Amino acid sequence: MILSGTIASTVQLQMLNNKWMQKKESGNVLSKQELNERSTWTSEQFMIADFQERLEHNREAEKRQKIDNKIMSGGSLSPEEISYLEKNDPVALKKYRETKEEKESYKEKLRQCKTKEEVDRVKLQKLGELESSLSSIVNDPAIPKSAKLAKAQEILAKTNNIEAAHLEFVKSADYQSMPTDEEKKEQDAADNDISDEITDSEKADNAELTDVSENTQDKADNVTDDNNNQVSDIKNPDTMDTKASEKTYEKDNRKKEYSTEIKKVSRKLKKDFAMADMHVDIIV
């Protein structure tokens, strides 16, 4: 049934007035002056006030959503946004700061790496920890769905922060100058050989002259043999090319293995987020 005329206006005014009274009873108490002003309001004035309140609520919701999206995407909040959370949601601000601290800790671990493969291993370990944490949450029937979603949002923020830190590091000069595991192994072996030669030299200085002469001759023979081997390699470029190809293949193969493992963990994370009703793109 459609109400019309004075009856409709009266009913509408009463509904709006009830709405304002509910606001008062919920704790959003109006001042005495505001209450006095509203006592003489028309239905139109109530409707305007209601519209303005909804508009302000939408602005606040939009502002908060923008902040939440920035946090989950791994972004950094502006001073104004931080001030907003300090005033309106200090708990969310605390979690945001904890996520940033975790990001800095991860960056420090990357800086301590000695090889490119070690960088991959650090990332794989960190993503595995996040996936394990998220999986235990989404598969726990005792945790309410809303709590699962909230925790999933936190882990998404951490995951995106880790990915941002990782991408930044692999573009750096420090990473580019890092050796591979195999290159470091070869360098360490060469350093050990030099160290052994120095030790042998010190022993020789304390030995009899004849022993020194014999050792010197042995070293000369070794040098000659090394030179002959080098000449032999130069004369046989196919051998050198084969060795280089084998090293390149092993290097590429190890890189693919780590890349495959990282993608597996990424897919698990994506599946876990979907179980928390968060359909995200591929994380890494």
Side-chain angles (χ1 to χ4, degrees):
M1 180 175 64
I2 299 177
L3 299 175
S4 60
T6 305
I7 297 176
S9 299
T10 302
V11 171
Q12 189 175 42
L13 179 61
Q14 185 61 46
M15 290 174 63
L16 289 168
N17 189 50
N18 290 340
K19 192 172 184 179
W20 281 104
M21 291 304 295
Q22 289 173 2
K23 179 180 178 181
K24 176 183 175 182
E25 292 172 359
S26 66
N28 299 318
V29 183
L30 300 172
S31 67
K32 187 175 181 179
Q33 181 179 351
E34 289 176 319
L35 288 172
N36 289 334
E37 290 175 354
R38 281 163 174 71
S39 65
T40 59
W41 273 10
T42 63
S43 61
E44 183 178 358
Q45 288 174 309
F46 270 108
M47 291 179 68
I48 292 173
D50 184 57
F51 174 78
Q52 290 175 337
E53 185 183 63
R54 288 175 180 271
L55 190 62
E56 179 61 25
H57 174 77
N58 290 339
R59 284 200 194 98
E60 286 296 306
E62 184 178 349
K63 185 176 183 179
R64 180 55 192 269
Q65 188 62 52
K66 182 180 178 181
I67 291 175
D68 289 344
N69 289 342
K70 184 180 285 189
I71 291 175
M72 283 190 291
S73 66
S76 297
L77 299 181
S78 67
E80 293 77 14
E81 290 167 332
I82 290 176
S83 296
Y84 177 87
L85 287 183
E86 283 179 340
K87 179 181 178 181
N88 296 281
D89 195 343
V91 174
L93 179 59
K94 180 182 178 182
K95 291 178 180 178
Y96 164 76
R97 285 173 170 161
E98 288 174 350
T99 296
K100 290 303 179 184
E101 288 174 2
E102 190 169 334
K103 178 181 178 181
E104 290 303 314
S105 176
Y106 177 76
K107 290 169 69 174
E108 180 59 29
K109 287 184 179 179
L110 294 180
R111 286 191 287 266
Q112 293 175 0
C113 291
K114 303 300 181 183
T115 67
K116 288 183 169 69
E117 285 89 348
E118 188 176 353
V119 170
D120 288 335
R121 289 193 287 271
V122 168
K123 181 177 184 179
L124 184 59
Q125 180 183 4
K126 187 61 183 178
L127 291 182
E129 291 172 359
L130 292 170
E131 191 280 326
S132 178
S133 177
L134 180 58
S135 179
S136 64
I137 291 167
V138 297
N139 290 301
D140 190 341
I143 300 177
K145 189 172 183 179
S146 59
K148 290 181 180 181
L149 178 59
K151 191 62 180 178
Q153 290 174 338
E154 291 178 34
I155 295 178
L156 177 60
K158 291 181 179 181
T159 304
N160 284 327
N161 270 278
I162 294 304
E163 176 62 10
H166 193 88
L167 288 176
E168 179 184 348
F169 183 75
V170 296
K171 292 178 181 178
S172 70
D174 288 342
Y175 175 82
Q176 298 303 324
S177 63
M178 276 185 180
T180 62
D181 280 350
E182 186 63 28
E183 290 169 345
K184 187 176 184 304
K185 182 179 179 181
E186 292 175 356
Q187 184 59 51
D188 289 344
D191 292 341
N192 288 334
D193 288 342
I194 293 174
S195 178
D196 290 342
E197 288 180 7
I198 293 174
T199 302
D200 290 341
S201 178
E202 291 174 347
K203 289 180 180 179
D205 289 340
N206 296 324
E208 295 294 335
L209 183 59
T210 54
D211 293 335
V212 172
S213 177
E214 290 176 359
N215 288 337
T216 302
Q217 183 59 46
D218 289 340
K219 289 182 179 179
D221 293 339
N222 289 335
V223 170
T224 300
D225 291 340
D226 290 341
N227 289 337
N228 289 336
N229 289 334
Q230 291 176 4
V231 171
S232 177
D233 285 339
I234 293 174
K235 290 181 179 179
N236 296 280
D238 291 342
T239 301
M240 297 177 64
D241 290 342
T242 300
K243 290 180 178 179
S245 297
E246 289 175 352
K247 287 183 179 180
T248 301
Y249 174 79
E250 290 176 2
K251 176 182 175 182
D252 292 343
N253 203 35
R254 280 193 294 271
K255 189 173 184 61
K256 287 180 181 178
E257 287 177 0
Y258 282 117
S259 178
T260 299
E261 290 303 313
I262 289 173
K263 286 180 180 178
K264 285 181 180 178
V265 177
S266 177
R267 285 194 290 270
K268 288 181 180 178
L269 274 165
K270 183 178 180 180
K271 182 179 178 181
D272 291 338
F273 282 124
M275 291 179 67
D277 283 344
M278 291 182 65
H279 299 281
V280 300
D281 293 330
I282 293 294
I283 306 302
V284 292

